[in-house]
Amino acid sequence: MWNIIIPIITLIVGLVIGFAVGVFYLRKQLEKMQSNPEMLQKMAKQMGYNMNKQQIQRAQHMMKNQNRPGRR
């Protein structure tokens, strides 16, 4: 019986920890993009978009506004 329960619990714990680490990493990358226009432009090119300076500034402004607490 323990041969079935322990692997299932380990899998669930691993998924939860992996998800938490992934969210933390993604948030840090988004924070870096807010202050680094080259990084934002590189990501846009990988997605198939070519952004000029005005579009990059607008995207950075939108990202900063999304992270403000107490919005709505």
Side-chain angles (χ1 to χ4, degrees):
M1 180 158 167
W2 287 108
N3 292 337
I4 296 172
I5 294 173
I6 291 177
I8 292 173
I9 291 173
T10 305
L11 175 67
I12 292 170
V13 169
L15 289 173
V16 170
I17 291 172
F19 180 77
V21 169
V23 168
F24 176 77
Y25 177 76
L26 183 60
R27 284 187 180 170
K28 287 295 177 187
Q29 290 294 350
L30 289 174
E31 287 174 10
K32 286 181 185 178
M33 277 188 243
Q34 288 177 8
S35 61
N36 189 350
E38 291 85 21
M39 193 175 200
L40 185 61
Q41 190 170 25
K42 181 181 174 185
M43 184 195 70
K45 281 187 179 181
Q46 288 176 345
M47 292 172 38
Y49 295 105
N50 193 10
M51 298 172 74
N52 60 32
K53 286 186 178 186
Q54 184 181 10
Q55 291 171 326
I56 290 173
Q57 288 175 348
R58 193 177 310 137
Q60 286 179 315
H61 182 72
M62 287 172 56
M63 289 171 73
K64 287 180 183 177
N65 284 342
Q66 281 183 340
N67 288 337
R68 283 190 185 159
R71 241 183 94 202
R72 277 205 179 209

